[in-house]
Amino acid sequence: MTTSAIIVAAGRGTRAGGEIPKQWQMLGSRSIAAHAMQPFADHPGIASLVLVVHPDDPGDLWRDTPQAQIIAGGATRKASVMAGLAALPAGTTQVLIHDAARPLVSAAIIDHVLSALETHQGAAPAVAVTDTLWHGAAGHVTGVQDRTNLYRAQTPQGFHLAPLLAAHQMHDGDATDDVGVARAAGLDVAIVAGDESNIKVTTPGDFARAARLMGQDMDIRCGNGYDVHRFGPGDHVWLCGVKVPHGRSLQGHSDADVGMHAVTDAIYGALGQGDIGQHFPPSDPQWKGAESHIFLRHAVGLAQAQGYKISNVDCTLVCEYPKIGPHQAAMKSALAAIMGLDADRISVKATTSERLGFTGREEGIAAIATITLVKP
Ligand code: MG
């Protein structure tokens, strides 16, 4: 048996809203169709993939999909499926047909369909209806439908290729799914276990639901930052955006806000985008005496441009003096305002180094920071 999969992505998806058809809208870092294709691309039982697209859709929509043969679909779902069937590689004996708007299909569902095809001409996943079903008219309940033996159909729907081709050729009119076409030709179609998560993205609310269900696949990144500035003459230090009176000042090319520099470098680190020195070279006179929020805002902007949200920040200042406790809340608020975060996602804390080393001798202040970025 050689099994190919057809992903039908030629629909217009008007009910979901948005500028482009729903299957090409983004869900996290990839299009819905790309998510829908990946389990087939990864499955050892699937030899090749055919992606059926709408002839009017531009090719950059499917730039992030797994490797597939791209075929132009027809005016109806049935015509698109037939175009996909005609394009299957020679030697294909079984086909799984999947809707590109179901991004949460699992390897387990594909397994179920494939094993049922060993003993049936067709097989498709479904979940039993558990809600009570009503008949209604003009906003009133007019009757109750017995839900025994009722199922909600899902995809992928799998078939032996030869009988399905024959069924499509003799079926006139459109069909909402391939099981309908197969059954009209008298094929035996087994019901296998679907999954409540295998939803079809149809309405605007389905995007958020799919994103929640996909939560375990979030792209999570951690970064750390470390910085040191030495003391020199002066009467205050800038720490995490707060001016703290002190008998000396921190020296540096900018305002020497060692805490904010550590936080900024943690963001650059999480993104794999170098450090402050790379983005704001000390050799460039325009950054002399610069306020450090410029650096932090730049790093936050880079993260946002790549689709990341900052989940939390933890910054530790290492010094004997000044005492940080009285300024902790103000530092959290200052960082929160610059980063556009709730203050409860920010931690600023301090430790001494037990009079050991350069911080213990009060020659300077060190700061370390850890940050988490999340792309849903
Ligand atoms: Mg620095």
Side-chain angles (χ1 to χ4, degrees):
M1 287 291 158
T2 301
T3 308
S4 297
I6 297 174
I7 311 297
V8 187
R12 301 287 80 195
T14 46
R15 275 177 292 174
E19 302 271 292
I20 54 174
K22 62 183 178 183
Q23 66 272 24
W24 300 120
Q25 294 186 35
M26 299 300 278
L27 190 59
S29 56
R30 300 180 84 184
S31 68
I32 287 183
H35 286 295
M37 291 169 73
Q38 196 63 54
F40 295 91
D42 294 341
H43 199 289
I46 306 294
S48 62
L49 224 52
V50 171
L51 175 64
V52 184
V53 300
H54 195 281
D56 294 345
D57 283 341
D60 68 321
L61 290 179
W62 44 90
R63 66 192 176 280
D64 70 345
T65 61
Q67 178 66 39
Q69 191 186 348
I70 314 285
I71 295 293
T76 62
R77 184 182 185 284
K78 179 177 152 60
S80 293
V81 171
M82 288 196 71
L85 290 172
L88 289 175
T92 300
T93 54
Q94 298 187 146
V95 62
L96 266 52
I97 301 170
H98 185 61
D99 191 331
R102 292 189 190 269
L104 287 146
V105 59
S106 63
I109 292 179
I110 297 171
D111 288 341
H112 296 156
V113 174
L114 289 177
S115 46
L117 286 180
E118 289 169 16
T119 48
H120 299 80
Q121 294 171 307
V127 291
V129 171
T130 53
D131 292 327
T132 296
L133 295 177
W134 292 337
H135 293 275
H140 295 271
V141 178
T142 57
V144 176
Q145 172 70 47
D146 181 9
R147 68 180 175 225
T148 315
N149 298 330
L150 287 183
Y151 292 86
R152 289 184 285 128
Q154 301 185 339
T155 69
Q157 301 183 344
F159 305 91
H160 291 221
L161 181 57
L164 181 72
L165 268 176
H168 266 282
Q169 275 150 10
M170 66 204 251
H171 190 271
D172 49 357
D174 201 16
T176 57
D177 70 359
D178 299 285
V179 167
V181 173
R183 292 250 319 126
L187 300 196
D188 156 43
V189 180
I191 299 173
V192 303
D195 189 324
E196 288 290 351
S197 298
N198 184 22
I199 62 168
K200 183 175 184 176
V201 175
T202 306
T203 64
D206 291 338
F207 287 94
R209 191 166 159 223
R212 273 199 308 280
L213 287 166
M214 214 170 262
Q216 61 272 32
D217 297 331
M218 276 192 301
D219 184 359
I220 297 175
R221 289 176 166 224
C222 259
N224 71 72
Y226 175 72
D227 196 27
V228 172
H229 282 264
R230 68 169 67 239
F231 279 124
D235 60 6
H236 67 273
V237 291
W238 281 98
L239 290 172
C240 294
V242 174
K243 187 177 180 179
V244 179
H246 190 55
R248 282 176 289 171
S249 288
L250 290 174
Q251 309 292 293
H253 194 69
S254 65
D255 64 12
D257 188 332
V258 63
M260 204 178 289
H261 292 181
V263 171
T264 305
D265 267 349
I267 300 174
Y268 289 135
L271 295 171
Q273 297 263 339
D275 56 28
I276 294 182
Q278 240 167 284
H279 294 280
F280 301 94
S283 55
D284 186 337
Q286 69 170 309
W287 308 122
K288 184 158 179 53
E291 294 179 30
S292 296
H293 68 81
I294 295 169
F295 311 150
L296 181 53
R297 284 182 210 279
H298 176 263
V300 170
L302 266 189
Q304 285 168 347
Q306 292 184 31
Y308 288 100
K309 265 176 53 180
I310 296 165
S311 180
N312 77 302
V313 186
D314 184 15
C315 178
T316 302
L317 300 167
V318 186
C319 58
E320 303 292 330
Y321 295 101
K323 287 298 168 200
I324 303 302
H327 306 285
Q328 229 166 357
M331 291 174 179
K332 285 174 61 162
S333 310
L335 290 177
I338 295 166
M339 303 176 78
L341 282 187
D342 292 336
D344 67 1
R345 292 183 176 271
I346 296 177
S347 153
V348 176
K349 55 197 199 299
T351 182
T352 72
S353 50
E354 298 278 336
R355 293 268 165 210
L356 297 171
F358 70 87
T359 51
R361 294 188 298 269
E362 297 184 56
E363 295 166 2
I365 297 182
I368 57 174
T370 305
I371 200 151
T372 311
L373 304 182
V374 177
K375 192 188 292 193

